[in-house]
Amino acid sequence: MPKATKSNFVCQSCGAVSARWAGKCVSCGDWNTIVEEVTAPPPPGSGLAKASKGRALTLESLSGTSKEAPRFSTGMPELDRVTGGGIVPGSVHLIAGEPGIGKSTLLLQLAAALARAGRRAIYFSGEEAAAQVRLRAARLGLGDAPVALAAETSLTNILATLGEEKRADLVVIDSIQTLWTDALEAAPGSVSQVRAATQSLVRYAKQAGCALLLVGHVTKDGQIAGPKAVEHVVDTVLSFEGDRGHTYRILRATKNRFGATDEIGVFEMAETGLREVANPSELFLGERDASAPGTAVFAGMEGTRPILVEIQALVAPSGLGVPRRAVVGWEQSRLAMLIAVLEARCGVSFAHHDVYLNVAGGLRIVEPAADLAAAAALLASLANQALDPKQIHFGEISLSGAVRASPHMGLRLKEAAKLGFTGAVIPAGGELRGEPGGEGGKLALSRISHLKELAAGLAPCD
């Protein structure tokens, strides 16, 4: 007699499996996320239920040399930078981002660029009809690109099509949450369906040697929807970030088995699609008001690329019992720590002032080296003074008020000098010799070792 179908209760947030339904998941703590999923048994005679004996493997040592993975260029330098120099055949990439951020536009431009270069690209759309994809291609000027297109959500049909067609260099699945297989009695987008579809597609990509690009949905918290097992299986996880109020988009790698994870690609949304930005500093400093008090230019690093961005601060008298602290593009806890250091170590009080901090252009900064630029902007706004518009700031501030050195100081200074800046306020302990832009180049360097030195020239200490 064939075995009966097996029923499990799976959390749609974390993928935890339980024997019975519950209102709250004991693994992640989310409410009303547990759904019953029925798994069909393997067909009789398939041999899937029998365990094979296996074979012995040949063990190797860590010594020796290995060939570097072959790559092919995407035709988009910003995308090549993020992926580590190009796409490796047989690799699997997962790209996620907010709805409408430009994921489908980017992948359609990528598929068209490869197809025009003589490579075969297949685009499977599960969210849009083929006519909608063709309309987007015509709007982007890609209607003549020889991209193979199909609108399908059945995993079985997609694998059958890939098996019969000529091997493709690139396969795009938009998106993985829309695929379903009749082997599972679960709704498309559920944990079981997403996991099964991903594993089947990854197995095909590794066997056929074609690059696979999967589009993933995100939750309201910005995390990639579905089980974490999907992120573990793929080779590269790309996050497409941006602000609806700005035209720029940032492609960031959070996982990359074939390259670094600290590089970013910068794009600008235009009428003809996503345009690559070769010099992001000019984009973020393009509409800068140099005469306004409370603005400082921060020389940051995104991987090996230096980026100059403006940090704006507004310190205004507060009529509330508890002054307000608001920050956009930076960590709220970092701002609170910086204000506490200014009050405790420099005697500058913000107790009766509202504090607003903003990173211009919508860029989000996580680098500790932005402490000094943020402190300069806060002090300048409190004193109602305008900083030197041709001066940059960078350096990490410790709880004692000491200004600590930052990595890649020479690259930051070289980028600032290239954009016409003449001065820099930097940590006293940083070494510049041996770096590009060493010794500051044409910049007048002002080295400080403690935050008091910066506060003395902007706001009087008690």
Side-chain angles (χ1 to χ4, degrees):
M1 294 294 293
K3 295 183 180 179
T5 57
K6 184 179 179 181
S7 178
N8 291 324
F9 295 88
V10 183
C11 176
Q12 303 303 301
S13 295
C14 65
V17 180
S18 57
R20 63 182 65 184
W21 183 88
K24 179 180 180 180
C25 176
V26 297
S27 180
C28 64
D30 288 351
W31 288 88
N32 300 323
T33 58
I34 297 180
V35 176
E36 182 180 8
E37 296 183 358
V38 179
T39 304
S46 62
L48 296 179
K50 298 180 181 179
S52 60
K53 183 179 180 181
R55 60 182 179 85
L57 302 178
T58 303
L59 303 180
E60 300 180 4
S61 63
L62 295 178
S63 60
T65 58
S66 300
K67 295 182 179 180
E68 186 177 355
R71 300 175 184 269
F72 60 85
S73 175
T74 63
M76 307 173 70
E78 291 297 306
L79 184 56
D80 288 342
R81 172 190 289 269
V82 178
T83 55
I87 294 181
V88 177
S91 60
V92 183
H93 308 261
L94 175 66
I95 178 170
E98 296 287 339
I101 205 68
K103 302 184 298 296
S104 300
T105 300
L106 175 65
L107 296 184
L108 187 59
Q109 290 183 228
L110 170 61
L114 292 179
R116 286 173 173 173
R119 298 184 180 274
R120 180 165 175 77
I122 302 179
Y123 192 104
F124 290 101
S125 176
E127 299 181 350
E128 298 175 308
Q132 292 176 289
V133 179
R134 282 196 293 266
L135 285 175
R136 179 186 292 115
R139 187 176 69 251
L140 301 177
L142 307 175
D144 59 338
V147 177
L149 174 65
E152 184 57 62
T153 58
S154 173
L155 175 64
T156 305
N157 295 343
I158 290 177
L159 292 176
T161 303
L162 293 175
E164 294 182 0
E165 291 287 332
K166 178 184 176 182
R167 187 189 71 84
D169 297 294
L170 176 71
V171 176
V172 177
I173 306 293
D174 188 6
S175 64
I176 190 63
Q177 272 81 11
T178 61
L179 300 189
W180 61 276
T181 173
D182 50 8
L184 299 174
E185 297 183 11
S190 62
V191 172
S192 299
Q193 291 282 10
V194 171
R195 183 188 295 114
T198 302
Q199 291 175 348
S200 299
L201 290 171
V202 169
R203 189 181 305 112
Y204 167 80
K206 299 299 182 183
Q207 292 175 353
C210 71
L212 178 65
L213 270 168
L214 308 175
V215 177
H217 295 172
V218 296
T219 63
K220 61 182 180 180
D221 299 328
Q223 302 294 325
I224 300 178
K228 282 291 183 181
V230 175
E231 300 179 45
H232 289 301
V233 169
V234 300
D235 299 311
T236 305
V237 178
L238 304 175
S239 176
F240 208 40
E241 306 170 358
D243 190 347
R244 293 292 183 90
H246 299 85
T247 59
Y248 84 91
R249 302 289 186 267
I250 290 182
L251 185 65
R252 191 187 307 271
T254 58
K255 173 188 176 181
N256 192 356
R257 289 175 177 166
F258 302 105
T261 58
D262 53 0
E263 297 288 353
I264 66 169
V266 183
F267 301 85
E268 185 178 10
M269 182 64 74
E271 294 182 359
T272 57
L274 290 167
R275 181 180 65 87
E276 296 177 89
V277 179
N279 192 346
S281 300
E282 294 182 353
L283 175 66
F284 294 123
L285 297 177
E287 301 178 359
R288 179 178 171 228
D289 185 4
S291 61
T295 62
V297 177
F298 165 59
M301 292 292 299
E302 290 289 351
T304 59
R305 165 183 284 178
I307 294 181
L308 270 60
V309 64
E310 184 184 47
I311 296 182
Q312 305 168 344
L314 176 61
V315 180
S318 176
L320 304 175
V322 179
R324 190 174 183 184
R325 307 286 188 257
V327 59
V328 177
W330 208 38
E331 296 182 7
Q332 183 83 29
S333 58
R334 200 80 186 178
L335 175 61
M337 184 205 73
L338 187 59
I339 293 176
V341 173
L342 286 170
E343 292 181 344
R345 307 303 181 188
C346 300
V348 181
S349 177
F350 294 87
H352 303 289
H353 293 80
D354 293 331
V355 176
Y356 303 89
L357 191 72
N358 175 52
V359 179
L363 183 68
R364 179 163 183 83
I365 296 177
V366 297
E367 192 180 4
D371 291 347
L372 190 59
L378 291 172
L379 292 171
S381 179
L382 181 63
N384 197 26
Q385 298 180 15
L387 297 172
D388 185 357
K390 293 296 183 180
Q391 194 176 58
I392 64 169
H393 297 74
F394 62 86
E396 181 182 356
I397 297 177
S398 63
L399 292 179
S400 63
V403 181
R404 306 182 62 181
S406 302
H408 306 295
M409 295 177 60
L411 290 175
R412 301 173 198 259
L413 297 176
K414 183 179 179 181
E415 178 72 10
K418 185 174 66 174
L419 294 179
F421 287 84
T422 58
V425 180
I426 64 175
E431 290 291 337
L432 297 177
R433 294 182 179 179
E435 289 192 54
E439 301 299 336
K442 299 179 181 179
L443 298 181
L445 303 183
S446 176
R447 292 180 173 268
I448 61 175
S449 59
H450 198 276
L451 192 55
K452 284 184 179 180
E453 302 174 35
L454 179 67
L458 295 175
C461 299
D462 294 341

